Amino acid sequence: MDRTMAAAHREAFMDGMRARGGGVAVLPTGPEKVRNRDVHYPFRADSDFWYLTGFPEPDAVAVLCPDRDEGRYVLFVRPKDPEMETWHGRRAGVDGAVDDYGADAAYPIESLAEELPKLLADSSQLFYATGLDPDFDRTLLTQLHTMATRTRDGTKVPATVVDPGTILHEQRLRKSDEELVLMRRAA
């Protein structure tokens, strides 16, 4: 998927979020799965994550903030690591997430716990699909709980969790002419 197609998908999705009252969307893609010992299955990104980002690497999280003036599309990704890239292939890293995949801002995945509360602050709704990744569910719920304990400083915590599929899956049913060409070629 090219960068312009993913950008069009993101804009349409964020328009749908605004139509439902706004908020912030958090979309993780999965980790690599071990097949045996040090061999992994070929990685396949979560379909919704891929549709909105076109980012092909594991252990990444997209955060979409349609109501922000700047930094509406943020990616958390694995950083560049020459030693790991020798064994597992090249990584886009933080710079590649911005330059090659159109993110407004990008951070190493290790900084998610520090940066995510800043992105979630003062949002009324959180668009997130629960139950797909129990480990990430715990991470996100821990963040929300930590934020809720600090409401005395005036920070609002999202009060509602909405499945992004309510917007996204309807959107994915309608294909652009470019998508139809790709589907025909694949078939």
Side-chain angles (χ1 to χ4, degrees), residues 16 47 120 137 144 155 186:
S47 296
L120 292 173
D137 287 353
L144 291 173
T155 302

Side-chain angles (χ1 to χ4, degrees), residues 73-89:
Y73 168 39
V74 179
L75 276 175
F76 293 87
V77 300
R78 297 181 308 177
K80 297 285 283 175
D81 182 340
E83 183 178 343
M84 293 304 290
E85 291 177 51
T86 299
W87 297 103
H88 301 288

Side-chain angles (χ1 to χ4, degrees), residues 117 120 126 139-149 157-158 161:
L120 292 173
L126 170 62
T139 299
L140 186 58
L141 290 173
T142 299
Q143 289 295 322
L144 291 173
H145 177 71
T146 301
M147 290 175 68
T149 61
V157 179
V161 177

Side-chain angles (χ1 to χ4, degrees), residues 49-89:
F49 179 89
W50 172 258
Y51 180 80
L52 293 172
T53 68
F55 191 77
E57 297 179 22
D59 299 320
V61 176
V63 180
L64 302 175
C65 311
D67 299 327
R68 292 181 65 174
D69 293 332
E70 292 182 23
R72 297 175 343 133
Y73 168 39
V74 179
L75 276 175
F76 293 87
V77 300
R78 297 181 308 177
K80 297 285 283 175
D81 182 340
E83 183 178 343
M84 293 304 290
E85 291 177 51
T86 299
W87 297 103
H88 301 288

Side-chain angles (χ1 to χ4, degrees), residues 56-133:
E57 297 179 22
D59 299 320
V61 176
V63 180
L64 302 175
C65 311
D67 299 327
R68 292 181 65 174
D69 293 332
E70 292 182 23
R72 297 175 343 133
Y73 168 39
V74 179
L75 276 175
F76 293 87
V77 300
R78 297 181 308 177
K80 297 285 283 175
D81 182 340
E83 183 178 343
M84 293 304 290
E85 291 177 51
T86 299
W87 297 103
H88 301 288
R90 294 185 189 260
R91 295 179 180 178
V94 172
D95 292 335
V98 173
D99 297 340
D100 300 333
Y101 295 96
D104 297 324
Y107 301 95
I109 191 67
E110 293 82 14
S111 68
L112 183 70
E114 179 184 338
E115 297 297 329
L116 189 58
K118 298 172 191 173
L119 297 169
L120 292 173
D122 298 325
S123 296
S124 58
Q125 296 184 97
L126 170 62
F127 288 82
Y128 175 72
T130 59
L132 300 177
D133 182 346

